[in-house]
Amino acid sequence: MHKNRQWIYMTGIFLLLLFTACAPKAGMLQTEGKSLQEEDAEDKDVMSSAALPQAPELEENSNNEKLVPQITLQPPTPTEAPSLSLVMVGDVLLHTRILEGAQLEDGTYSFASLFENITEEIQAADLAIVNQEVILGGSELGVSGYPAFNAPYEAGDALVAAGFDLICHATNHALDKGKKGLLNCIGFWKEQYPDIGVIGIYDSAEGRDSIYLYEANGITVAVLNYTYGTNGIALPKDMPYAVSLLDRDRVIADLKKADELADFVIVCPHWGTEYVSEPTKEQKKWAKLFEENGADLVLGTHPHVIEPIEWQGNMLVYYSIGNFANWTSGTKAGTADRMVGGMAEIILERAEDGTVFVAEYGVTPLICHVEEGKQKVTVYTIYDYTKELGEQNAIRNQDAAFSYEYCVELCERIWGELWR
């Protein structure tokens, strides 16, 4: 074959491949009774494969015709927006009967039973927060329940094993064992679990002035923790920073600093009135101040019962997620309410403009189940609780109104459709 003819053939083949790749699929466009694919197939009969020295080997059909590979363009896979999931549970309130049931024969303690039925939910979140109501002063200070609480260090071990990342300690019981109890608690966390976040109690002014930051999936969250007071116990004179209090000027300064450091700001206030299921005027006032100074989410504790979930402007407020674990000694009507708490569930996402917002939110009701005996106090989600368990709950001896149906009705009344 002469060189000019070879060049013509090679040019024709190149144009043929180009047109074939761009041509519509068979049946889409007809030319004089034949599809473009049929015409292409006839043209290929007169072309020699020797004219394609750099082309890949082509398969043949039953008529020994060369088959041109079809090019399929895949649409780009959409990328998901960066997100961060977080959960928080309420007061871990270790009353005397819980402590007695957690004590083992050798005198040590195990609180694993408290969390065994919800560990999966806790560990699934990027950030899991808990309100540790009572100080972990250790057995050396005497383990005690109401009114001056003190928990053994094993309670902290159980929190970590359950999967919590951040411990809120700013509560009205933070100074139940004085300065020694507070320092013991801080020392335990620093020595045994330095990677676990602890906020609300401090052993230095530098610690008090720092902002807790948590980062996951490119999103940075700041978390602040305050309490309305410490049951009338004064802060140590040489440690005015020991417990983070709801002080207006301090809170505003912290919020402004947090807003500069993080994409999203959470406040965990210990506030409100015990056993009241509606937010007080004081809670509403603080919520407004939080929102005006840069907070994006409020997760409240202390009332020991659940309260509504509402929006305050662009800020989401869980006024109270109630108790996580407790075995109150109360016997009045409404005692059953203290056995129902909530696991706040929030998913944050980053928008195209870079801001981080609440993409999804809800709450999973939790029921504290108590029975006499060792390792018999545990917490269930309402979805795993049953009528039979409700009948076995020892709290019925203190408030006969308690039942599975009672818990469902309470959640319906306070949270509406948010929990379903």
Side-chain angles (χ1 to χ4, degrees):
M1 182 181 297
H2 297 290
K3 289 183 179 181
N4 59 342
R5 292 186 61 189
Q6 185 176 3
W7 180 86
I8 293 172
Y9 270 87
M10 291 181 68
T11 302
I13 292 171
F14 171 79
L15 293 174
L16 173 64
L17 290 172
L18 178 63
F19 292 153
T20 302
C22 298
K25 294 181 180 179
M28 292 181 63
L29 180 63
Q30 298 291 323
T31 304
E32 296 181 356
K34 294 183 181 181
S35 70
L36 293 181
Q37 276 195 331
E38 290 171 340
E39 290 186 350
D40 288 345
E42 291 178 356
D43 290 340
K44 285 193 282 288
D45 285 340
V46 297
M47 296 180 184
S48 169
S49 60
L52 292 171
Q54 298 179 356
E57 185 73 14
L58 301 179
E59 297 181 359
E60 295 183 350
N61 62 14
S62 56
N63 296 323
N64 294 324
E65 296 172 321
K66 298 296 183 183
L67 300 179
V68 177
Q70 295 295 310
I71 299 175
T72 303
L73 297 178
Q74 298 294 335
T77 303
T79 57
E80 295 183 0
S83 66
L84 182 152
S85 62
L86 68 93
V87 300
M88 180 172 176
V89 301
D91 306 339
V92 178
L93 193 52
L94 301 177
H95 287 105
T96 299
R97 278 179 285 187
I98 295 180
L99 294 168
E100 291 173 346
Q103 190 170 27
L104 306 176
E105 291 184 2
D106 63 359
T108 61
Y109 292 82
S110 173
F111 296 90
S113 65
L114 291 181
F115 308 100
E116 62 185 3
N117 294 304
I118 65 160
T119 297
E120 184 176 346
E121 290 83 353
I122 296 168
Q123 295 183 353
D126 292 314
L127 173 61
I129 311 172
V130 59
N131 185 68
Q132 178 51 47
E133 179 77 19
V134 305
I135 204 72
L136 310 182
S139 298
E140 66 179 89
L141 299 183
V143 174
S144 57
Y146 181 84
F149 290 91
N150 181 49
Y153 296 139
E154 289 93 333
D157 297 332
L159 293 174
V160 175
F164 290 107
D165 306 290
L166 178 60
I167 318 297
C168 293
H169 264 300
T171 79
N172 54 304
H173 292 289
L175 291 177
D176 279 3
K177 288 298 177 178
K179 178 179 177 180
K180 179 62 174 173
L182 183 138
L183 290 176
N184 279 8
C185 183
I186 295 174
F188 164 76
W189 288 116
K190 285 186 174 182
E191 295 167 14
Q192 300 300 319
Y193 301 104
D195 294 332
I196 297 297
V198 177
I199 55 177
I201 57 174
Y202 306 95
D203 60 0
S204 70
E206 291 76 16
R208 171 62 187 86
D209 293 338
S210 65
I211 301 295
Y212 174 82
L213 300 174
Y214 182 90
E215 192 277 337
N217 307 322
I219 294 175
T220 301
V221 173
V223 188
L224 307 173
N225 180 212
Y226 307 94
T227 179
Y228 71 93
T230 54
N231 290 344
I233 304 173
L235 297 171
K237 290 183 179 181
D238 60 340
M239 295 177 63
Y241 45 75
V243 181
S244 187
L245 300 175
L246 278 169
D247 174 82
R248 186 179 186 277
D249 292 340
R250 166 61 68 175
V251 170
I252 291 174
D254 287 347
L255 284 169
K256 292 186 180 301
K257 186 187 297 184
D259 196 34
E260 293 176 356
L261 297 172
D263 300 309
F264 193 89
V265 179
I266 303 171
V267 183
C268 298
H270 209 62
W271 62 355
T273 302
E274 291 182 338
Y275 319 130
V276 175
S277 59
E278 291 295 326
T280 64
K281 290 182 179 179
E282 191 76 1
Q283 285 171 281
K284 294 278 190 177
K285 181 195 76 172
W286 278 110
K288 189 171 186 295
L289 183 142
F290 296 154
E291 192 267 338
E292 289 176 343
N293 289 277
D296 300 294
L297 172 66
V298 173
L299 300 169
T301 58
H302 174 64
H304 304 307
V305 293
I306 60 175
E307 293 182 349
I309 302 168
E310 301 174 350
W311 285 92
Q312 167 71 43
N314 294 320
M315 180 184 73
L316 180 62
V317 184
Y318 289 69
Y319 279 102
S320 174
I321 50 179
N323 290 328
F324 175 77
N326 86 109
W327 195 340
T328 177
S329 60
T331 57
K332 296 180 180 179
T335 296
D337 292 11
R338 307 178 202 180
M339 311 309 288
V340 179
M343 178 185 291
E345 300 169 315
I346 299 98
I347 295 179
L348 308 179
E349 287 187 5
R350 187 180 294 281
E352 291 184 0
D353 64 1
T355 58
V356 173
F357 65 99
V358 175
E360 298 179 35
Y361 70 100
V363 62
T364 293
L366 304 175
I367 300 176
C368 184
H369 183 80
V370 298
E371 291 187 43
E372 299 287 352
K374 298 295 183 180
Q375 307 296 309
K376 290 296 185 68
V377 179
T378 190
V379 177
Y380 292 91
T381 71
I382 201 168
Y383 312 114
D384 295 327
Y385 208 61
T386 63
K387 294 181 180 180
E388 292 73 22
L389 284 170
E391 294 170 356
Q392 297 168 18
N393 198 318
I395 204 67
R396 288 173 57 85
N397 298 326
Q398 297 166 236
D399 186 351
F402 180 89
S403 67
Y404 168 79
E405 293 82 1
Y406 183 97
C407 298
V408 171
E409 192 279 330
L410 176 64
C411 295
E412 188 74 22
R413 176 163 53 87
I414 303 299
W415 288 329
E417 297 183 355
L418 275 178
W419 72 275
R420 287 184 276 132

